[in-house]
Amino acid sequence: MSSYAATQRRSGGMTKDERFVIVASSLGTVFEWYDFYLYGSLAAIIGAQFFSAYPPATRDIFALLAFAAGFLVRPFGAIVFGRIGDIVGRKYTFLVTILIMGLSTFIVGLLPNAATIGIAAPIILICLRLLQGLALGGEYGGAATYVAEHAPPGKRGYYTSFIQTTATLGLFLSLIVILVTRTVLGEPAFADWGWRIPFLVSVVLLGVSVWIRLRLNESPVFQKMKEEGKSSKAPLTEAFANWGNAKIVLIALFGGVMGQGVVWYTGQFYALFFLQSILKVDGYTSNLLIAWSLLLGTFFFIFFGWLSDKIGRKPIILTGCAIAALSFFPIFKAITSNANPALERAIETIKVEVVSDPALCGDLFNPVGTRVFTQPCDTARAFLSQSSVKYSTAKGPAGSGVKVMVNDTEVPYTDAKTSNPAVLAAIQAAGYPKAGDAEIVKMAHPFDVFRPAPAAVIGLLFVLVLFVTMVYGPIAAMLVELFPTRIRYTSMSLPYHIGNGWFGGLLPATAFAIVASTGDIYAGLWYPIIFASITVVIGLIFLPETKNVDISRN
C-alpha cells in the first residue's frame, strides 16, 4: 500500500510519523517567523539606528515602512517559490526559503548603522527585508500544504492548526529573546548594541531547522501525483490564467484572507504599536503585555482548527471577522482606560482646537513618511497628533496666523519646525499626561501580572488574540482544500500573502497615518473594520465550505 493510501485509510490518533511531520514543519516555520518579526518588535530601535538622519516622527514611519517592505514582496515570493514547489516538490522548496530567511536575519545583526556607513545602511537593511519577505512568501504555503497532504480526512483543520500557531509562537519567541536580552544588558546597552543579539542568535535556529527538515520525506499526495505523471508543467498559467481557478483565488482573497489578515495584524502588531506610540507605554512593559496575551491565546489556534473539522472553516472565519469589526472600538478604548487613564480623561474632557485660515491647512495623511510639513497649521496638528492629543480644526479669518486653543485659552504657536514648548506645557497643565506618568501601566518584571492595570490590559489583549485564533486557525486548511494538488502551492500562497502581506502588513503604517491626519487616536481602527466587514459580506455570498473535499484531486 502506498504512503498516500495508508494516510487516507487510517483512522485513530496521530501516528509517530505524522507527529514528526508536524513538529518538523512547525518548528522550522516558528524560527522563520521569529526571524521575520524581530524587526517589527524592534522597529523603534532600528529606526533610530538606520534612519537617524530623519526627524523622530519621520524616522518612526520609515521604520514601519521598512517593516512593511517585507510584507509587500511576499506575494512575489509566493509566485516564485509556489511554482518551484508545484514542479520540484514541497520539501526542497521550503529548505531553500528557510536558508534565505535565516541568513538575511543573521546579516541584519552584523550590519553597521547609518552613523557608520551612511545611506548604505538603510538601503542594505531594506534589501535584507525584501529577501526575508520573498522567503516567507514561499515558506508558509509549503509548510501548510505539506502538513495538510499528510493529514487523514476529517483532521486537516486540526493538523494544519499547528502550522497556524507558528506565526504567534515566532512573535512570542522574538519578544522573549528581546526581553531577556534587555533585562540582562539594561536598556542603554540594548539600544546601543544589544539589539543585535536576537538577530545573531537566529543562526543557531537556522542550523536546527535545516537539520530537521533534511530528515523529512516528500508529501505523499505530491509523490502520488508525480508517479502518475499528472504534475503541472506551467503552474502559474494554470493557477492564474485559467478563470475557473483565478476566480477561486479572488474569492479566497476577498472572502477570507483579507479580513483574516487585518484582524490578525490589528490584534498582534497594531496593538503593540498602539501601546507604545499612542498610549506611551514603555517598550519593556508593552512587549510583556503582548507576550502574556499570546501565551494565553495560542492554544485556541488548535481549538478552532479542530472545531473547523466539525462545523466547517467558513463559519468560524467569518464569525471572527464580524465580531472583531464590531468590537475593535470598545476594546481599544478599554485598553486606553486601563493602560493610560490620564490620557483617556484628557481626551474626554480637554478641548484642543487649531484655528487657522483653511487655505493654510493641508492634508496630513503621510503613510510613507516622505512629506515635509512647513505650514504652521500642519506642523501644529502634526505635533498634537504625535503627542496623542485629540484636536479639532476651526476656521480662522483669511490670512490669519495659527492659534492653538486649549480649553478656549489661546496658546502661542510660533515655531513651524520644532515642537512648541508653550503648547506642550499648556496641554500638560490642562491634564494630558507627561512621559512616564505614574498612571501609565508599567510592569516591574515578567510575572507582575496580578495588579489591576496589567491584568486588565492583558485580558483585553487576550480577547484580540482570540479573534486572531478564530480567523487564522482554520485558514490553512481552507486554502489547501480550495485548490487541486498540481497547482496547490502556487494557488494558495498568492491570496494568503496578498491578504496578510499587503492588507495586513500595511496596516500599522496606514492606521498610524490615519491617526495623525485626523487627530483621533482611534481613527486608525477604521482600516481593519472596513476590510473585515467587506470579507464578511463577500465570504457569506461566494466562499464555499471546504472541510469535506478530497484534496488528492489533481
Side-chain angles (χ1 to χ4, degrees), residues 126-209:
I126 291 172
C127 289
L128 292 170
R129 282 296 296 169
L130 294 176
L131 284 174
Q132 287 181 321
L134 287 171
L136 192 60
E139 163 68 20
Y140 175 83
T145 299
Y146 187 81
V147 171
E149 291 179 348
H150 277 85
K155 295 186 178 181
R156 286 190 294 268
Y158 174 59
Y159 278 40
T160 57
S161 67
F162 288 92
I163 293 293
Q164 301 309 92
T165 67
T166 60
T168 295
L169 290 173
L171 174 59
F172 182 77
L173 180 61
S174 74
L175 293 176
I176 293 300
V177 173
I178 289 168
L179 287 168
V180 170
T181 309
R182 264 187 156 128
T183 302
V184 171
L185 296 180
E187 195 61 34
F190 183 82
D192 183 30
W193 60 269
W195 63 270
R196 297 179 181 276
I197 292 175
F199 288 92
L200 298 175
V201 165
S202 69
V203 76
V204 177
L205 306 181
L206 172 63
V208 172
S209 302

Side-chain angles (χ1 to χ4, degrees), residues 6-290:
T7 298
Q8 299 308 297
R9 297 179 191 178
R10 186 187 61 73
S11 61
M14 193 181 292
T15 68
K16 180 180 178 181
D17 287 344
E18 288 168 350
R19 280 195 296 272
F20 178 71
V21 164
I22 291 173
V23 169
S25 300
S26 300
L27 195 59
T29 308
V30 166
F31 293 159
E32 194 148 358
W33 282 112
Y34 164 86
D35 289 349
F36 195 75
Y37 286 142
L38 275 181
Y39 184 98
S41 302
L42 295 172
I45 290 176
I46 287 175
Q49 290 282 337
F50 292 95
F51 301 98
S52 55
Y54 301 96
T58 303
R59 182 188 307 165
D60 290 344
I61 293 179
F62 275 171
L64 286 174
L65 285 170
F67 178 57
F71 292 91
L72 289 173
V73 299
R74 279 168 54 178
F76 301 102
I79 291 172
V80 172
F81 292 109
R83 179 180 182 277
I84 296 171
D86 281 328
I87 293 174
V88 178
R90 294 26 171 152
K91 169 187 171 178
Y92 293 105
T93 303
F94 63 37
L95 268 173
V96 173
T97 60
I98 204 167
L99 280 168
I100 295 173
M101 174 68 79
L103 291 174
S104 299
T105 303
F106 180 69
I107 294 170
V108 171
L110 300 175
L111 183 62
N113 61 19
T116 305
I117 61 172
I119 196 171
I123 290 173
I124 296 171
L125 176 71
I126 291 172
C127 289
L128 292 170
R129 282 296 296 169
L130 294 176
L131 284 174
Q132 287 181 321
L134 287 171
L136 192 60
E139 163 68 20
Y140 175 83
T145 299
Y146 187 81
V147 171
E149 291 179 348
H150 277 85
K155 295 186 178 181
R156 286 190 294 268
Y158 174 59
Y159 278 40
T160 57
S161 67
F162 288 92
I163 293 293
Q164 301 309 92
T165 67
T166 60
T168 295
L169 290 173
L171 174 59
F172 182 77
L173 180 61
S174 74
L175 293 176
I176 293 300
V177 173
I178 289 168
L179 287 168
V180 170
T181 309
R182 264 187 156 128
T183 302
V184 171
L185 296 180
E187 195 61 34
F190 183 82
D192 183 30
W193 60 269
W195 63 270
R196 297 179 181 276
I197 292 175
F199 288 92
L200 298 175
V201 165
S202 69
V203 76
V204 177
L205 306 181
L206 172 63
V208 172
S209 302
V210 171
W211 176 73
I212 289 175
R213 287 193 170 183
L214 284 170
R215 298 174 60 196
L216 291 172
N217 295 315
E218 187 52 83
S219 149
V221 175
F222 183 81
Q223 281 182 324
K224 174 177 178 287
M225 181 189 68
K226 291 284 282 186
E227 290 166 2
E228 294 174 351
K230 296 180 179 179
S231 59
S232 174
K233 300 293 189 262
L236 293 179
T237 300
E238 285 193 51
F240 308 123
N242 180 301
W243 173 241
N245 195 77
K247 177 177 66 176
I248 301 300
V249 170
L250 293 174
I251 291 171
L253 171 59
F254 294 109
V257 188
M258 179 177 71
Q260 170 260 301
V262 297
V263 170
W264 178 17
Y265 284 92
T266 301
Q268 292 188 359
F269 296 103
Y270 188 66
L272 178 60
F273 294 134
F274 185 82
L275 286 169
Q276 291 181 333
S277 299
I278 295 178
L279 301 187
K280 311 304 181 185
V281 179
D282 68 89
Y284 179 82
T285 299
S286 298
N287 284 331
L288 276 177
L289 294 169
I290 294 291

